[in-house]
């Protein structure tokens, strides 16, 4: 399946890839370290925070990488980026071309 995915992702995170006309949206989810039990409630093990390296592996120039929930531009004209994901955290990144 790695041949079909346009990204190389360094850590074991859940991810979704959506393709738009001039961009690709990458959703990252850290399922490690977040636990919920209906009797005892929520437990978060912050030692499971991940530092994830993401590289775009296809041809084409990446003009911008933006985190969509915050609207913050993380990078301009780079094919790779590093993001931190706390347990249970979701980040949605848009790679524009």
């Amino acid at each position: 399946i790695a041949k079909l995915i346009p990204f190389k992702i360094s850590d074991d995170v859940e991810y979704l890839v959506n393709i738009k006309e001039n961009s690709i949206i990458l959703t990252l989810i850290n399922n490690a370290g977040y636990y919920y039990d209906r009797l005892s409630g929520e437990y978060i093990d912050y030692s499971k925070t991940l530092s994830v390296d993401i590289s775009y592996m296809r041809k084409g120039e990446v003009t911008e990488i933006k985190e969509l929930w915050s609207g913050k531009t993380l990078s301009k004209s780079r094919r790779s980026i590093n993001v931190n994901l706390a347990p249970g955290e979701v980040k949605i990144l848009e790679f524009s071309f």
Side-chain angles (χ1 to χ4, degrees):
I1 196 161
K3 289 190 255 181
L4 302 173
I5 304 297
F7 296 99
K8 180 179 178 185
I9 300 171
S10 70
D11 239 314
D12 187 21
V13 296
E14 180 179 348
Y15 59 90
L16 304 141
V17 177
N18 295 295
I19 299 172
K20 290 176 55 177
E21 187 174 338
N22 294 317
S23 66
I24 298 177
I25 306 224
L26 177 65
T27 303
L28 301 168
I29 306 164
N30 182 3
N31 291 316
Y34 180 84
Y35 310 97
Y36 182 81
D37 181 271
R38 65 184 178 94
L39 297 176
S40 59
E42 178 179 75
Y43 171 72
I44 299 173
D45 179 359
Y46 286 100
S47 71
K48 303 288 185 179
T49 297
L50 299 174
S51 177
V52 182
D53 292 318
I54 305 151
S55 298
Y56 180 68
M57 303 302 290
R58 300 289 191 260
K59 293 180 182 178
E61 181 181 339
V62 176
T63 57
E64 179 180 60
I65 303 171
K66 182 185 274 188
E67 206 284 311
L68 292 183
W69 278 349
S70 69
K72 181 180 174 185
T73 297
L74 303 177
S75 174
K76 290 199 178 269
S77 300
R78 287 184 40 205
R79 299 175 66 80
S80 62
I81 193 165
N82 178 278
V83 295
N84 290 322
L85 280 174
E89 186 175 19
V90 175
K91 288 203 176 175
I92 303 174
L93 307 177
E94 181 175 28
F95 287 71
S96 298
F97 306 95

